[in-house]
């Protein structure tokens, strides 16, 4: 998928630096959150998820933080690489909603400078 | 890693024509979904499908849309009479069905209605 024309927030970082991408979600009853990465011409790719009973979860080079008080989600990427350049979406699953009815955020474009 | 496969990658059709978009899910996945992304906009939920019937659908998924799994492998989205505003990327996604298991997306079909 492409996001040409979408006025996305853009984050530009130097290769090797850490990146933090933020997301404000809409539904205080949402109980499951996912970060997806979308490269040009491709579908959303799962990165990491977190349930509402947690406030932090770590993966390989990525960490997701959840602050339910202010309905805020963040994705931290350690030692950012050029291959991390993409659009990043957070998605939420409303509590009681059907499996897979995800609400996507607008996305943040990450550009990594070599 | 298993993938969700979508065909065709690009479909051009005239307004009023019927189109069928195809998806081959990951083999042990039980839940199937269609999402769309209009150029410059967010990824939006269309429909979820489980056990050969629709679980949930959004307002977008009106009578012009239908889904089926005719042969136990392919999962299809049919648009009966396409409109200009149906032009978008259409993503198929599948999940194992365990509660809050992540969705895995295909690379999409770009539908252009002229």
């Amino acid at each position: 998928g492409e996001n040409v024309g979408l006025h996305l927030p853009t984050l530009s970082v130097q290769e090797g630096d850490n990146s933090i991408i933020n997301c404000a979600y809409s539904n205080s009853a949402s109980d499951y959150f996912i970060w997806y990465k979308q490269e040009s011409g491709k579908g959303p790719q799962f990165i990491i998820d977190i349930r509402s009973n947690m406030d932090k979860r770590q993966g390989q080079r990525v960490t997701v933080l959840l602050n339910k008080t202010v309905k805020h989600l963040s994705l931290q990427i350690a030692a950012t690489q050029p291959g991390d350049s993409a659009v990043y979406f957070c998605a939420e699953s409303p509590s009681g909603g059907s499996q897979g009815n995800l609400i996507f955020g607008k996305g943040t474009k990450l550009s990594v400078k070599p | 890693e298993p993938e969700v496969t979508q065909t065709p990658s690009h479909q051009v059709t005239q307004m009023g024509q019927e189109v069928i978009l195809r998806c081959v899910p990951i083999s042990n996945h039980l839940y199937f979904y269609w999402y769309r992304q209009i150029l410059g906009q967010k990824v939006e939920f269309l429909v979820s499908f489980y056990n050969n019937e629709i679980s949930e659908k959004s307002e977008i998924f009106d009578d012009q849309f239908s889904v089926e799994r005719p042969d136990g492998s392919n999962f299809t989205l049919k648009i009966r009479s396409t409109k200009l505003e149906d032009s978008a990327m259409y993503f198929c996604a599948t999940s194992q069905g365990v509660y809050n298991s992540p969705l895995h997306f295909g690379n999409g079909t770009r539908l252009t209605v002229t």
Side-chain angles (χ1 to χ4, degrees), chain B residues 43-79:
Chain B
V43 178
E44 301 173 291
F45 170 78
L46 293 179
V47 65
S48 60
F49 188 86
Y50 169 71
N51 200 27
N52 283 320
E53 60 183 27
I54 290 173
S55 306
E56 188 171 348
K57 58 184 180 180
S58 71
E59 291 179 352
I60 303 167
F61 194 88
D62 62 22
D63 292 344
Q64 293 300 311
F65 291 88
S66 62
V67 290
E68 64 175 358
R69 199 171 179 221
D71 56 9
S73 61
N74 288 296
F75 175 52
T76 63
L77 173 69
K78 182 192 292 186
I79 308 175

Coordinates of all heavy atoms in Angstrom, one line a residue, chain B residues 43-79:
Chain B
V43 N -5.9 2.6 6.8 CA -6.3 1.2 6.6 C -7.7 1.0 7.3 O -7.8 1.4 8.5 CB -5.3 0.2 7.1 CG1 -5.8 -1.2 6.9 CG2 -4.0 0.4 6.4
E44 N -8.7 0.5 6.6 CA -10.0 0.4 7.2 C -10.5 -1.0 7.1 O -10.4 -1.7 6.1 CB -11.0 1.3 6.4 CG -10.7 2.7 6.3 CD -11.6 3.5 5.4 OE1 -11.5 3.2 4.1 OE2 -12.5 4.2 5.8
F45 N -11.2 -1.4 8.2 CA -11.8 -2.8 8.3 C -13.0 -2.9 7.4 O -13.8 -2.0 7.4 CB -12.2 -3.1 9.7 CG -13.0 -4.3 9.9 CD1 -12.4 -5.5 9.9 CD2 -14.4 -4.2 10.2 CE1 -13.2 -6.7 10.1 CE2 -15.1 -5.3 10.4 CZ -14.5 -6.6 10.4
L46 N -13.1 -4.0 6.6 CA -14.3 -4.2 5.8 C -15.1 -5.4 6.5 O -16.3 -5.2 6.7 CB -13.9 -4.6 4.4 CG -13.3 -3.6 3.5 CD1 -12.9 -4.1 2.2 CD2 -14.2 -2.4 3.4
V47 N -14.5 -6.5 6.6 CA -15.3 -7.7 7.0 C -14.4 -8.8 7.6 O -13.2 -8.9 7.3 CB -16.0 -8.3 5.8 CG1 -15.0 -8.8 4.8 CG2 -17.0 -9.3 6.1
S48 N -15.0 -9.5 8.5 CA -14.3 -10.7 9.1 C -15.1 -11.9 8.8 O -16.4 -11.9 8.7 CB -14.0 -10.6 10.6 OG -15.3 -10.4 11.3
F49 N -14.4 -13.1 8.7 CA -15.1 -14.3 8.2 C -14.5 -15.5 8.9 O -13.3 -15.6 9.0 CB -14.8 -14.4 6.7 CG -15.5 -15.5 5.9 CD1 -16.7 -15.3 5.4 CD2 -14.9 -16.7 5.7 CE1 -17.4 -16.3 4.6 CE2 -15.5 -17.7 4.9 CZ -16.7 -17.5 4.4
Y50 N -15.4 -16.3 9.5 CA -15.0 -17.5 10.2 C -16.0 -18.6 10.1 O -17.2 -18.3 10.1 CB -14.8 -17.1 11.7 CG -14.6 -18.3 12.6 CD1 -13.4 -19.0 12.6 CD2 -15.6 -18.7 13.5 CE1 -13.2 -20.1 13.4 CE2 -15.4 -19.8 14.3 CZ -14.2 -20.5 14.3 OH -14.1 -21.6 15.1
N51 N -15.5 -19.8 9.9 CA -16.4 -20.9 9.8 C -17.5 -20.7 8.7 O -18.6 -21.0 8.9 CB -17.1 -21.2 11.2 CG -17.7 -22.6 11.3 OD1 -17.2 -23.5 10.7 ND2 -18.7 -22.7 12.1
N52 N -17.0 -20.2 7.6 CA -17.8 -20.0 6.4 C -18.9 -19.1 6.5 O -19.9 -19.2 5.8 CB -18.3 -21.4 5.9 CG -17.2 -22.2 5.2 OD1 -16.5 -21.6 4.4 ND2 -17.2 -23.5 5.4
E53 N -18.8 -18.1 7.4 CA -19.8 -17.1 7.5 C -19.2 -15.8 8.0 O -18.1 -15.8 8.6 CB -21.0 -17.5 8.3 CG -20.7 -17.8 9.8 CD -21.9 -18.2 10.5 OE1 -22.8 -18.8 9.9 OE2 -22.0 -18.0 11.8
I54 N -19.9 -14.7 7.7 CA -19.4 -13.4 8.1 C -19.6 -13.2 9.6 O -20.6 -13.5 10.1 CB -20.1 -12.3 7.4 CG1 -19.7 -12.3 5.9 CG2 -19.9 -10.9 8.0 CD1 -20.5 -11.3 5.0
S55 N -18.5 -12.8 10.3 CA -18.6 -12.6 11.8 C -19.0 -11.1 12.0 O -19.8 -10.9 12.9 CB -17.2 -12.8 12.4 OG -16.7 -14.1 12.1
E56 N -18.4 -10.2 11.3 CA -18.6 -8.8 11.5 C -18.3 -8.1 10.2 O -17.5 -8.5 9.4 CB -17.8 -8.3 12.6 CG -18.1 -6.8 13.0 CD -17.4 -6.4 14.3 OE1 -16.8 -7.3 15.0 OE2 -17.5 -5.2 14.6
K57 N -19.0 -7.0 10.0 CA -18.8 -6.2 8.8 C -18.9 -4.7 9.2 O -19.7 -4.4 10.1 CB -19.7 -6.5 7.6 CG -21.1 -6.4 7.9 CD -22.0 -6.9 6.7 CE -23.5 -6.8 7.0 NZ -24.3 -7.2 5.9
S58 N -18.2 -3.9 8.4 CA -18.3 -2.4 8.7 C -19.4 -1.8 7.8 O -19.9 -2.5 6.9 CB -16.9 -1.8 8.4 OG -16.7 -1.8 7.0
E59 N -19.6 -0.5 8.0 CA -20.6 0.2 7.2 C -20.2 0.3 5.7 O -21.0 0.4 4.8 CB -20.7 1.6 7.7 CG -21.4 1.7 9.1 CD -21.4 3.1 9.6 OE1 -20.9 4.0 9.0 OE2 -22.1 3.3 10.7
I60 N -18.9 0.2 5.5 CA -18.4 0.2 4.1 C -18.9 -1.0 3.3 O -19.1 -1.0 2.1 CB -16.8 0.2 4.1 CG1 -16.3 1.4 4.9 CG2 -16.3 0.2 2.7 CD1 -14.8 1.3 5.2
F61 N -19.0 -2.1 4.0 CA -19.3 -3.4 3.4 C -20.8 -3.5 3.2 O -21.5 -4.1 3.9 CB -18.8 -4.6 4.3 CG -18.8 -5.9 3.7 CD1 -17.6 -6.3 3.0 CD2 -19.8 -6.8 3.7 CE1 -17.6 -7.6 2.4 CE2 -19.8 -8.0 3.1 CZ -18.7 -8.4 2.5
D62 N -21.2 -2.8 2.1 CA -22.6 -2.8 1.8 C -23.0 -4.0 0.8 O -22.2 -4.9 0.6 CB -23.0 -1.4 1.2 CG -22.3 -1.1 -0.1 OD1 -21.9 -2.1 -0.8 OD2 -22.2 0.0 -0.5
D63 N -24.2 -3.9 0.3 CA -24.7 -5.0 -0.5 C -23.9 -5.3 -1.8 O -24.1 -6.3 -2.5 CB -26.2 -4.7 -0.9 CG -27.1 -4.8 0.3 OD1 -26.6 -5.4 1.4 OD2 -28.2 -4.3 0.2
Q64 N -23.1 -4.3 -2.2 CA -22.3 -4.5 -3.4 C -21.1 -5.4 -3.1 O -20.4 -5.9 -4.0 CB -21.7 -3.2 -3.9 CG -22.8 -2.2 -4.4 CD -23.5 -2.9 -5.6 OE1 -22.9 -3.4 -6.5 NE2 -24.8 -2.8 -5.5
F65 N -20.8 -5.7 -1.8 CA -19.7 -6.5 -1.5 C -20.2 -7.9 -1.0 O -21.2 -8.0 -0.4 CB -18.9 -5.9 -0.3 CG -18.1 -4.6 -0.7 CD1 -18.8 -3.4 -0.6 CD2 -16.8 -4.7 -1.1 CE1 -18.1 -2.2 -0.9 CE2 -16.1 -3.5 -1.4 CZ -16.8 -2.3 -1.3
S66 N -19.4 -8.9 -1.3 CA -19.6 -10.2 -0.7 C -18.3 -11.0 -0.6 O -17.3 -10.6 -1.3 CB -20.6 -11.0 -1.6 OG -20.0 -11.2 -2.9
V67 N -18.3 -11.9 0.3 CA -17.1 -12.8 0.5 C -17.5 -14.2 0.5 O -18.6 -14.6 0.9 CB -16.3 -12.4 1.8 CG1 -15.7 -11.1 1.8 CG2 -17.3 -12.5 3.0
E68 N -16.6 -15.0 0.1 CA -16.8 -16.5 0.2 C -15.5 -17.2 0.2 O -14.4 -16.7 -0.2 CB -17.7 -17.0 -0.9 CG -17.2 -16.9 -2.3 CD -18.2 -17.5 -3.3 OE1 -19.2 -18.1 -2.9 OE2 -17.9 -17.4 -4.5
R69 N -15.6 -18.5 0.6 CA -14.4 -19.4 0.5 C -14.8 -20.6 -0.2 O -15.1 -21.7 0.4 CB -13.9 -19.7 1.9 CG -12.5 -20.2 2.0 CD -12.0 -20.3 3.4 NE -10.6 -20.8 3.3 CZ -10.1 -21.8 4.2 NH1 -10.9 -22.2 5.1 NH2 -8.9 -22.2 4.1
P70 N -14.9 -20.5 -1.6 CA -15.6 -21.5 -2.3 C -15.0 -22.9 -2.3 O -15.7 -23.9 -2.4 CB -15.6 -20.9 -3.8 CG -14.5 -20.0 -3.8 CD -14.4 -19.4 -2.4
D71 N -13.7 -23.0 -2.2 CA -13.1 -24.3 -2.4 C -12.2 -24.6 -1.2 O -11.4 -25.5 -1.3 CB -12.2 -24.3 -3.7 CG -11.2 -23.2 -3.6 OD1 -11.0 -22.5 -2.6 OD2 -10.5 -22.9 -4.7
G72 N -12.4 -24.0 -0.1 CA -11.7 -24.3 1.1 C -10.3 -23.8 1.2 O -9.6 -24.0 2.2
S73 N -9.9 -23.1 0.1 CA -8.5 -22.6 0.2 C -8.6 -21.1 -0.1 O -8.3 -20.2 0.7 CB -7.6 -23.3 -0.8 OG -8.0 -23.2 -2.1
N74 N -9.0 -20.7 -1.3 CA -9.1 -19.3 -1.7 C -10.2 -18.6 -0.9 O -11.3 -19.2 -0.7 CB -9.4 -19.1 -3.2 CG -8.2 -19.5 -4.0 OD1 -7.2 -18.8 -4.0 ND2 -8.4 -20.5 -4.8
F75 N -9.9 -17.4 -0.5 CA -10.9 -16.5 0.2 C -11.1 -15.3 -0.7 O -10.1 -14.7 -1.1 CB -10.4 -16.1 1.6 CG -11.2 -15.1 2.3 CD1 -12.5 -15.4 2.5 CD2 -10.6 -14.0 2.9 CE1 -13.3 -14.5 3.3 CE2 -11.4 -13.1 3.6 CZ -12.7 -13.3 3.8
T76 N -12.3 -15.1 -1.2 CA -12.5 -14.0 -2.2 C -13.4 -12.9 -1.7 O -14.2 -13.1 -0.8 CB -13.2 -14.6 -3.4 OG1 -14.5 -15.1 -3.1 CG2 -12.3 -15.8 -4.0
L77 N -13.1 -11.7 -2.3 CA -13.9 -10.5 -2.1 C -14.5 -10.2 -3.4 O -13.7 -10.0 -4.4 CB -13.1 -9.4 -1.5 CG -13.8 -8.0 -1.4 CD1 -14.9 -8.1 -0.3 CD2 -12.8 -6.9 -1.1
K78 N -15.8 -10.1 -3.5 CA -16.4 -9.7 -4.8 C -17.1 -8.3 -4.6 O -17.8 -8.1 -3.6 CB -17.5 -10.7 -5.2 CG -18.2 -10.4 -6.5 CD -19.4 -11.3 -6.8 CE -19.1 -12.7 -7.0 NZ -20.3 -13.5 -7.4
I79 N -16.8 -7.5 -5.6 CA -17.6 -6.2 -5.7 C -18.5 -6.3 -6.9 O -18.0 -6.5 -8.0 CB -16.6 -5.0 -5.8 CG1 -15.6 -5.1 -4.7 CG2 -17.4 -3.7 -5.7 CD1 -14.5 -4.0 -4.7

